[in-house]
Amino acid sequence: MSHLLKKWWAALAVLGLLGIGLAAAGNTSVQAASKDNGEFKVGMEAGYAPFNWTQSDSSNGAVKIQGSNEYANGYDVQIAKRIAKALGKTPVVVKTDWDGLPPALTSGKIDAIIAGMSPTPERRKTIDFTNTYYVSNMTMVVRKDGKYANATSLKDFKGAKITGQLSTSDYDAISQIKGVIKEPAMNNFPAMRAAIESGTIDGYASEVPEGSSAEAANPNLKMIHFAKGQGFKTNPDESDLAIGVRKGYEYKAKINEVLAGISQKQRTQIMNEAVANQPSTGNTGNWFVSLMKQYGGMLLRGTGMTILLAVVGTLVGFIIGLLVGIIRTIPRPRSMGKRGILRFFDWLLAVYIEVFRGTPMIVQAAVLYYGSAQALHLSIDRTAAALIIVSINTGAYISEIIRGGITSVDDGQFEAANALGMTHFQMMRKVILPQAVRNSLPAVTNEFIVNIKDTSVLSVISVSELFFSGETIAGQNFQFFHTYLVISGIYLIMTFTISWLFRLIEKHMDGPKNYNVMNNQMQVETPKIGAATSRKDA
């Protein structure tokens, strides 16, 4: 049994090395984060063309994304480059989900947010803003062949299903439309574009540059040109875009000075170039070949990161689960002091299990990555934070799985081990755990598969795993169905492989089904009476 357990650990170790290799294929950084005064770290989604997007090379003045082999470009990137040059620093793009931008700024992970963000009163409560770096009017994006394609006024959208990006003034402005069906806000623009094409929504509110970009990149979409006075009514806090910085940021005045030196003509030229340079969505021939040729490297790195997180998280979580399971099944000692200590640790472990099983992994990741920087001034690398969270979260679940496996072992096994004079840890290692692990293996396999899928929530701390990479690709090529079909196929291959591998391990641990306990017994043939008599006579 112990030999089979060693094989199991070896198999998981190979998968872990495979994940590390794939994740490192694009020189993905797993170094500890450190503050560098020579860098100007800018947070953005890198998926909101023409303001910002992701591309595979450094063409047209793109800037490399931190911890990645991809580059970011767009209007925001070009503005960031001008500011960094004036500050005497190197521009660095930190690709971050929209919801993760404010905590990334306040925790010191980035120096500024240049991502098409409006300086609303709510945001000003937590962060500061520079002067305006782009003035934009609001518009609506709809299907070109849809019911609302010829709309010229907000009144024309009565009864339409409209949405906007989460936590933005665009979404709030939808309330100006009387009789509109205000759909729940969506996290990003690629998701909204996919919703329009699928018919889930009739349109979404956006800024004119984004609408113009969507229209130019996707022939199925159209930006609405409202008649004068018939569009959205906005104030500067809603329509103007500013750069978010920490309160008391020492370079705020210098940034305002740089922005003042960029004329309106220059800003218009930068935006026109951004619209013209955004990634092409057209492809020829087989869509799968085209997708893999253009974005295969990004998908490979995302897959590697997902495997790395799932394998390491499950391995470490399994070790945690074993230790917790052993400690929580220690017999109560007779000594009052030892019994009190054991109860304390048992209570502590119970709290750990309930906290990590009772809160979402996405919240745990945000608390560790951003909270530790804000409260404790600790700068943790995003990959390290992701590995820690997945491991601890998995350990909480597996500890209960192992405990159930231990209690499923027959009481006679415990009694026999005690009769032989074994200590609790000897009994666990030599008698109980081999059986408990086998009993728990199906549930551990399920937890492994869940980890593969749940890593998708770690994009909140800028971890570019498979789903986050897929979102980026879909936002660039507008081929939402094709992209997510490929992503689904990759997830299915990973989960099926893990299920198949663990079924083999289960069969090996079960042993041969035709095992006969009498095979090793000496078989004695009863001598025949006649033969015995003849020998006697002889």
Side-chain angles (χ1 to χ4, degrees):
M1 182 71 72
S2 60
H3 179 65
L4 292 174
L5 283 175
K6 290 179 180 178
K7 285 186 175 181
W8 182 55
W9 284 105
L12 289 179
V14 170
L15 285 175
L17 292 174
L18 175 62
I20 293 172
L22 290 173
N27 296 323
T28 302
S29 173
V30 292
Q31 299 292 326
S34 61
K35 294 183 179 179
D36 186 353
N37 292 330
E39 295 180 339
F40 180 58
K41 297 179 181 179
V42 181
M44 61 182 65
E45 295 172 282
Y48 177 38
F51 287 99
N52 51 74
W53 65 76
T54 303
Q55 60 187 57
S56 58
D57 54 45
S58 60
S59 61
N60 301 315
V63 173
K64 194 168 186 179
I65 297 174
Q66 185 188 58
S68 173
N69 201 38
E70 284 84 42
Y71 293 79
N73 207 344
Y75 181 86
D76 292 338
V77 175
Q78 298 307 315
I79 294 295
K81 288 176 64 177
R82 290 174 179 246
I83 295 173
K85 183 178 180 180
L87 297 178
K89 297 177 180 290
T90 302
V92 175
V93 172
V94 180
K95 186 175 180 179
T96 308
D97 197 59
W98 177 260
D99 291 339
L101 288 172
L105 179 63
T106 56
S107 63
K109 300 293 183 181
I110 57 178
D111 299 313
I113 299 174
I114 309 182
M117 182 173 285
S118 302
T120 62
E122 291 75 15
R123 293 193 180 112
R124 288 186 181 275
K125 294 178 182 178
T126 55
I127 63 177
D128 205 351
F129 285 92
T130 65
N131 296 334
T132 300
Y133 79 98
Y134 191 81
V135 178
S136 175
N137 294 319
M138 287 186 61
T139 185
M140 194 81 76
V141 178
V142 299
R143 280 189 66 93
K144 190 175 183 179
D145 58 355
K147 178 180 177 181
Y148 302 95
N150 297 320
T152 58
S153 170
L154 290 181
K155 296 178 182 179
D156 296 332
F157 287 95
K158 182 178 181 180
K161 295 181 290 184
I162 305 298
T163 188
Q165 190 177 26
L166 183 69
S167 303
T168 63
S169 57
D170 297 344
Y171 185 69
D172 296 334
I174 298 174
S175 300
Q176 298 178 25
I177 307 173
K178 294 182 180 180
V180 72
I181 301 174
K182 190 175 183 180
E183 295 289 330
M186 295 189 177
N187 195 45
N188 53 60
F189 285 92
M192 289 185 277
R193 293 167 187 166
I196 288 182
E197 292 203 274
S198 66
T200 305
I201 60 174
D202 296 312
Y204 66 83
S206 177
E207 291 88 5
V208 169
E210 193 282 330
S212 176
S213 172
E215 185 179 50
N218 190 336
N220 297 322
L221 301 181
K222 179 182 179 180
M223 180 183 71
I224 298 299
H225 297 273
F226 291 112
K228 187 175 181 179
Q230 299 300 311
F232 289 101
K233 294 178 174 59
T234 60
N235 58 52
D237 284 343
E238 296 173 344
S239 60
D240 292 1
L241 305 181
I243 299 174
V245 296
R246 289 185 298 275
K247 288 187 177 295
Y249 186 54
E250 57 181 322
Y251 295 113
K252 178 184 174 181
K254 182 65 176 178
I255 293 176
N256 283 332
E257 182 181 328
V258 175
L259 295 177
I262 305 175
S263 66
Q264 185 58 47
K265 182 179 180 181
Q266 290 175 313
R267 299 184 189 198
T268 302
Q269 181 181 354
I270 295 172
M271 179 57 75
N272 291 338
E273 291 176 354
V275 173
N277 293 333
Q278 65 179 319
S280 172
T281 60
N283 61 74
T284 58
N286 185 280
W287 65 265
F288 179 77
V289 174
S290 177
L291 181 69
M292 296 305 296
K293 183 178 181 180
Q294 188 172 2
Y295 301 106
M298 191 183 299
L299 290 173
L300 181 65
R301 287 184 288 274
T303 301
M305 181 58 69
T306 295
I307 293 175
L308 174 65
L309 294 173
V311 172
V312 174
T314 304
L315 278 172
V316 177
F318 183 78
I319 295 172
I320 294 173
L322 282 177
L323 295 175
V324 173
I326 292 173
I327 294 174
R328 297 197 75 191
T329 55
I330 294 177
R332 295 289 180 254
R334 296 181 179 180
S335 170
M336 182 70 71
K338 292 182 178 179
R339 190 161 59 245
I341 294 174
L342 186 61
R343 285 180 178 177
F344 171 75
F345 279 104
D346 188 65
W347 172 83
L348 203 62
L349 292 174
V351 171
Y352 153 67
I353 292 171
E354 293 304 321
V355 168
F356 281 90
R357 289 200 308 169
T359 55
M361 188 187 293
I362 188 172
V363 176
Q364 297 166 11
V367 169
L368 175 65
Y369 186 65
Y370 299 123
S372 61
Q374 290 180 336
L376 304 175
H377 304 290
L378 295 177
S379 184
I380 304 176
D381 174 64
R382 64 175 70 90
T383 304
L387 290 171
I388 292 171
I389 283 299
V390 176
S391 300
I392 296 177
N393 182 278
T394 304
Y397 284 93
I398 292 184
S399 61
E400 288 297 279
I401 293 173
I402 295 296
R403 190 170 69 89
I406 292 174
T407 56
S408 69
V409 177
D410 187 81
D411 290 341
Q413 305 271 352
F414 292 88
E415 295 171 359
N418 287 325
L420 292 173
M422 289 185 177
T423 65
H424 179 72
F425 292 102
Q426 287 177 329
M427 176 176 60
M428 284 292 164
R429 182 170 61 88
K430 297 182 178 181
V431 180
I432 305 302
L433 282 184
Q435 301 176 70
V437 169
R438 172 59 190 90
N439 295 339
S440 305
L441 203 55
V444 173
T445 304
N446 184 65
E447 190 62 29
F448 199 158
I449 292 173
V450 168
N451 279 344
I452 290 176
K453 297 181 291 185
D454 280 0
T455 54
S456 59
V457 305
L458 297 173
S459 60
V460 72
I461 60 171
S462 311
V463 176
S464 296
E465 41 66 51
L466 180 58
F467 182 75
F468 192 47
S469 299
E471 278 190 317
T472 300
I473 295 171
Q476 293 177 15
N477 63 13
F478 291 92
Q479 297 177 350
F480 301 97
F481 175 75
H482 296 154
T483 301
Y484 288 125
L485 183 63
V486 172
I487 297 296
S488 299
I490 296 174
Y491 274 118
L492 183 61
I493 290 172
M494 288 192 291
T495 55
F496 178 80
T497 302
I498 295 300
S499 298
W500 173 77
L501 177 62
F502 273 75
R503 278 197 295 268
L504 290 180
I505 294 173
E506 288 180 33
K507 289 181 180 179
H508 281 293
M509 295 183 73
D510 286 339
K513 292 184 178 180
N514 59 348
Y515 180 74
N516 189 340
V517 296
M518 298 300 294
N519 281 344
N520 294 327
Q521 299 290 333
M522 294 181 62
Q523 304 296 315
V524 180
E525 183 180 0
T526 303
K528 295 181 180 180
I529 297 176
T533 303
S534 63
R535 284 195 294 271
K536 184 177 180 180
D537 292 340

